[in-house]
Amino acid sequence: MRFAAVMLAVLAGTAPAWAENRAVIIGNANYESAPDLAGSDTAALAKALRAAGFTTQDGVDLTGEPLRRTLEALARADDRPGARIVALNGRFLHDGGETWFMGTDVGRPGPLSAGTQGVPLSLVMRLMAGGDPGAVLILGTDAQQSPHDPGLASGIGLTEAPEGVSVLTGTPEAGALALAELLRGGSLAQAAALDRALTLLPGSAGDLVPLGRAGSQAEDPLAGDRDAWARAAAADSAAAYQAYLREFPRGLYSAAAQERLAQVRDAAAGRNADRDAWAEAAAENRAAGYEAYLKRFPQGRYAQAARDRLEALRPPRPTPQPQVSPAAAAELALDLGPAERATLQRRLARLGHASGSADGVFGSRSRKAIASWQRANGLAPTGYLNRAQIQMIASQSQRAEDEVAARDRAYWQQTGAKGDAEGLRAYLKRYPDGLHAETARRQLAGLPGQETQPDAPRGEEATWQWARRQGSAAGYQTYLDRFPRGPHAAEARDRLATLRAGIEAARREEDSLRLNPSTRRLVEERLRLAGMRPGPVDGQFTAQTRDALRRYQAARNLRVTGYLTQQTVASLLQDAVLR
């Protein structure tokens, strides 16, 4: 019989059906980045609740993670839930719809990061609902402001109590008075009347007496037996079950403890046999030995290692040659290098057939761009190029460049060639990176009184400071385009190379994840839920998706690359769990 079945049978057939009253008391007073709070005696309140028969978890000055672990006591399964009392004293933040109880390590959160530094009250109240005779949530704070970003406000944002939970708010001292009244057997309305600082939210059950049944559990003569069994089952080890049997040899759960003890010992013996058989097979290192191990332990601890060794010992299978289309074979014969492919990607983009970044890799987007160009020119859209088509692309791209240059020169003759400030500014507005842009800037800077004009172009030092603030490859490339021999040119090239190397490493890391379309759609959905606007959730990582990834990485203080690194995946998963 499985262990879970043993426990259910024993609990259902032998133990008395006591309801379990639960309480959680947390007092956060000393905050790292927020005003301290005058608190109540958390330990004394927790002791009083335990004396009243409540299973109680308590903590003082808890940071985010210990705070969540303490509140997990409310999530434990309970077939017959008793009364529920939770008292939370500390700092709260809300956004009008949700309120978070913050850990003492809270910094300056915004709406997207509040959940990582605190616990949402909606979750706490869902875990409390269903208590019998009822559930009471006591929230204590003061009127001081806690640091936060726009979108949040200090204090408790609740306006009414949800179904199944009664909510009482006030100062920590007033909340302690109310809890003491409940411990004396008073009703919730009587507790709320003790101090003007206390407010019982609409929807709360004022006639609720939470401790109306607390005495029955305190008088349970089998409580020690049940607690000892609960500790043994939680540890689930031979030593724990032996300890239970020594204390209660004829206890309610002695049969279950003996059966589980035998199972644990058998499992340990099985693990030893598994280990010994593997050691013998590994020492021989022959296919017959690994096959014998797998026959005996098909689901053993070393089963996968045995299969891997068998695969390595078997003669390699001939690798089937992929079928290559004539068009693909023709392109392959050209032996195009990364630089040639990158040039083709830039030329296709210039002709209106963008394939993403010019990275020298012909992926699916590049193939689509090639096929689009082929259709536009009446050619078979194979997605692969031959020598004649490459020459045609080069010719069309050169004509496009010549046309742009001709328009650039013509507009220069109409405007900047005259040498007046108005004409120079008009040219720079249309062609900020044009053929005569540097000439226009120099001439404009040399005109009398132009140094202080608000429309004057940025100088070398201002451009460098702007590029540093941007911290991006595009920013440093802009500086180098304008000042290739500037005093900061060497440093700009170094930073540009470092950024490009980091982005390339991130691209390779994303490739190594081998994302399928379903996983890509999941990532896009997570970005959408985080408010990063990734575009259509279709499994295609477009330029809009890359921008969304950069925004997400910047918001989470991750390495900003626009590619899905393992660090970014872990953050997306954490956001999903917290949500």
Side-chain angles (χ1 to χ4, degrees):
M1 185 187 300
R2 295 170 59 92
F3 176 49
V6 173
M7 286 191 65
L8 287 173
V10 173
L11 290 173
T14 307
W18 298 104
E20 181 184 27
N21 296 338
R22 295 182 189 171
V24 175
I25 309 294
I26 297 175
N28 282 354
N30 298 319
Y31 280 81
E32 296 177 7
S33 303
D36 288 347
L37 183 75
S40 56
D41 192 341
T42 301
L45 293 174
K47 182 178 180 180
L49 281 163
R50 291 189 181 97
F54 278 73
T55 300
T56 305
Q57 297 291 325
D58 63 282
V60 175
D61 293 334
L62 301 181
T63 58
E65 186 57 32
L67 176 64
R68 283 185 279 274
R69 286 200 302 269
T70 302
L71 286 166
E72 283 177 357
L74 298 172
R76 182 163 44 82
D78 189 354
D79 292 335
R80 294 191 67 246
R84 298 289 186 260
I85 294 180
V86 175
L88 304 178
N89 296 322
R91 296 290 168 208
F92 297 82
L93 293 172
H94 70 90
D95 63 0
E98 178 64 272
T99 297
W100 290 270
F101 179 53
M102 310 310 297
T104 56
D105 57 344
V106 61
R108 189 183 182 89
L112 293 177
S113 59
T116 65
Q117 302 177 43
V119 175
L121 292 188
S122 61
L123 173 60
V124 174
M125 291 186 289
R126 284 200 302 273
L127 295 176
M128 295 174 63
D132 182 15
V136 178
L137 176 60
I138 302 174
L139 305 176
T141 190
D142 57 24
Q144 294 195 67
Q145 297 293 307
S146 181
H148 55 78
D149 280 346
L152 293 180
S154 296
I156 301 166
L158 299 175
T159 57
E160 61 180 354
E163 183 177 357
V165 180
S166 297
V167 181
L168 188 65
T169 67
T171 63
E173 299 90 336
L177 291 175
L179 183 53
E181 177 64 22
L182 297 179
L183 286 169
R184 286 191 290 268
S187 69
L188 192 55
Q190 291 171 327
L194 292 175
D195 195 301
R196 286 184 296 178
L198 292 170
T199 300
L200 188 60
L201 295 190
S204 300
D207 59 350
L208 174 63
V209 180
L211 270 68
R213 297 173 55 193
S216 62
Q217 187 180 22
E219 298 166 3
D220 178 10
L222 302 175
D225 189 335
R226 291 189 301 106
D227 290 344
W229 169 249
R231 290 192 297 271
D236 196 29
S237 65
Y241 293 118
Q242 288 169 339
Y244 171 81
L245 289 169
R246 283 194 301 270
E247 187 174 358
F248 298 97
R250 294 181 177 82
L252 290 171
Y253 312 100
S254 57
Q258 289 167 355
E259 182 167 348
R260 185 55 185 159
L261 178 59
Q263 292 174 352
V264 171
R265 285 172 173 168
D266 289 345
R271 286 194 296 270
N272 291 337
D274 184 340
R275 182 188 59 207
D276 293 343
W278 167 251
E280 183 178 347
E284 292 181 5
N285 197 32
R286 295 171 55 193
Y290 293 121
E291 289 169 349
Y293 170 83
L294 287 170
K295 184 176 181 180
R296 185 178 175 189
F297 299 100
Q299 303 298 327
R301 295 174 62 189
Y302 309 99
Q304 188 56 51
R307 294 186 186 97
D308 292 342
R309 288 302 303 145
L310 272 175
E311 188 67 24
L313 290 171
R314 287 172 181 151
R317 300 186 185 96
T319 304
Q321 295 298 319
Q323 297 295 321
V324 179
S325 66
E331 183 183 282
L332 187 63
L334 298 177
D335 194 23
L336 299 174
E340 294 172 290
R341 290 172 181 261
T343 299
L344 283 167
Q345 288 171 322
R346 285 191 290 271
R347 288 174 175 172
L348 284 167
R350 193 174 296 122
L351 296 174
H353 305 280
S355 61
S357 60
D359 55 5
V361 177
F362 279 2
S364 59
R365 295 180 65 187
S366 295
R367 295 300 176 192
K368 289 179 181 178
I370 292 171
S372 174
W373 175 83
Q374 290 170 328
R375 278 192 293 270
N377 286 272
L379 303 171
T382 63
Y384 294 90
L385 296 169
N386 55 38
R387 181 60 67 186
Q389 292 174 354
I390 291 174
Q391 293 173 351
M392 187 184 299
I393 290 172
S395 177
Q396 291 178 357
S397 175
Q398 187 59 54
R399 285 200 299 272
E401 286 186 21
D402 292 344
E403 291 173 2
V404 171
R407 289 194 294 271
D408 185 326
R409 286 190 289 270
Y411 195 68
W412 170 255
Q413 293 301 321
Q414 297 173 18
T415 57
K418 299 176 183 178
D420 60 281
E422 182 179 0
L424 292 169
R425 288 199 192 95
Y427 175 81
L428 286 171
K429 183 176 181 180
R430 179 175 295 187
Y431 294 103
D433 298 311
L435 298 173
H436 306 281
E438 287 302 317
T439 300
R441 291 188 180 93
R442 285 194 298 272
Q443 291 185 9
L444 189 61
L447 291 176
Q450 294 304 313
E451 293 78 4
T452 59
Q453 291 296 322
D455 294 334
R458 293 191 296 265
E460 184 276 333
E461 186 60 32
T463 303
W464 170 245
Q465 295 301 328
W466 171 84
R468 290 189 62 186
R469 287 193 300 272
Q470 296 293 312
S472 64
Y476 292 117
Q477 186 62 58
T478 299
Y479 174 84
L480 289 170
D481 290 343
R482 294 182 177 179
F483 305 101
R485 295 181 178 82
H488 303 287
E491 184 178 353
R493 291 188 183 93
D494 289 342
R495 295 193 179 193
L496 182 60
T498 300
L499 286 169
R500 285 176 173 168
I503 293 172
E504 175 61 18
R507 185 188 67 77
R508 294 175 184 271
E509 185 174 348
E510 181 182 286
D511 289 344
S512 71
L513 298 177
R514 301 183 182 278
L515 304 172
N516 57 37
S518 297
T519 305
R520 289 173 179 264
R521 284 194 294 272
L522 181 61
V523 169
E524 291 169 329
E525 178 64 17
R526 293 282 182 262
L527 291 171
R528 185 188 68 78
L529 291 173
M532 298 301 167
R533 307 184 303 281
V537 179
D538 55 5
Q540 299 291 327
F541 279 8
T542 62
Q544 194 172 359
T545 313
R546 299 295 179 193
D547 289 341
L549 276 168
R550 293 186 188 95
R551 287 192 291 272
Y552 179 85
Q553 289 164 335
R556 298 299 189 277
N557 199 25
L558 304 173
R559 183 161 49 99
V560 179
T561 63
Y563 288 90
L564 195 65
T565 61
Q566 293 182 359
Q567 187 184 34
T568 305
V569 170
S571 181
L572 287 168
L573 287 174
Q574 182 183 20
D575 285 354
V577 171
L578 292 176
R579 181 172 294 105

